[in-house]
């Protein structure tokens, strides 16, 4: 049996962009004065290579963030291959630095998004943002500073010491004991 017909050469394959982001590890608390890591995976489920932009959304202006891709410092965009090339996923760590002045016990909702850096239309937008809740940890850092008015004392003499005790953390500390 033979099938014949008009020849046709106008077939074109359209690129489908389908990125997803899933959380691997998110902190329950953010420690002020230190960087806290959020670990997630970005996967290219589309049919071609893609350049992915990762953004931490709506962080307060005083906070800083940076990322590492597969353990190396990185900037946007992150290159991902097509699934058939087997380099279509990346483990990404975003580090969020919260200033030490941030109040303890504040509740924060953090969102991280992935988007196509080339502006291609998405096949599925429902898995392009991850959101998690966290709170600001309590940090108590007592600091004692002072000065001596005299450098020595004789037997039966008196030495004056002026001291200031300061909590440079972000939470009240009622367990400090000062013994002279």
């Amino acid at each position: 049996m033979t099938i014949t017909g008009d020849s046709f050469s106008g077939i074109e394959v359209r690129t489908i962009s389908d990125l997803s982001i899933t959380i691997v590890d998110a902190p329950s608390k953010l420690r002020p004065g230190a960087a806290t890591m959020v670990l997630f995976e970005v996967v290219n489920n589309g049919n071609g290579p893609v350049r992915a932009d990762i953004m931490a959304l709506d962080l307060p202006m005083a906070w800083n963030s940076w990322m590492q891709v597969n353990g190396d410092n990185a900037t946007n965009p992150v290159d991902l291959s097509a699934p058939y090339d087997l380099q279509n996923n990346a483990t990404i760590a975003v580090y969020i630095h919260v200033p030490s002045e941030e109040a303890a016990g504040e509740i924060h909702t953090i969102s991280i998004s992935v988007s196509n850096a080339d502006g291609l239309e998405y096949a599925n937008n429902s898995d392009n943002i991850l959101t998690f809740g966290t709170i600001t940890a309590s940090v108590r850092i007592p600091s004692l500073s002072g000065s001596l008015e005299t450098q020595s004392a004789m037997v039966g003499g008196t030495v004056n010491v002026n001291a200031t005790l300061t909590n440079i953390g972000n939470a009240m500390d009622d367990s400090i004991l000062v013994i002279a």
Side-chain angles (χ1 to χ4, degrees), residues 106-171:
E106 294 287 320
I107 298 171
H108 302 281
T109 300
I110 296 176
S111 297
I112 299 174
S113 72
V114 61
S115 62
N116 186 311
D118 298 321
L120 295 176
E121 196 172 313
Y122 285 100
N124 179 9
N125 276 342
S126 65
D127 55 2
N128 290 52
I129 295 178
L130 66 84
T131 301
F132 64 95
T134 186
I135 63 171
T136 311
S138 297
V139 178
R140 295 169 180 89
I141 306 171
S143 174
L144 182 64
S145 61
S147 63
L148 293 172
E149 290 185 8
T150 58
Q151 296 295 327
S152 61
M154 297 174 116
V155 174
T158 303
V159 174
N160 291 323
V161 176
N162 291 324
T164 303
L165 179 62
T166 307
N167 179 3
I168 57 175
N170 69 345

Side-chain angles (χ1 to χ4, degrees), residues 9-50:
S9 62
I11 296 176
E12 196 174 293
V13 177
R14 184 174 55 107
T15 302
I16 296 175
S17 181
D18 186 11
L19 293 167
S20 66
I21 185 170
T22 55
I23 199 150
V24 174
D25 188 27
S28 59
K29 292 185 179 183
L30 299 171
R31 183 173 168 79
T36 305
M37 181 181 72
V38 179
L39 192 64
F40 55 92
E41 185 175 46
V42 172
V43 178
N44 176 14
N45 298 308
N47 66 351
V50 68

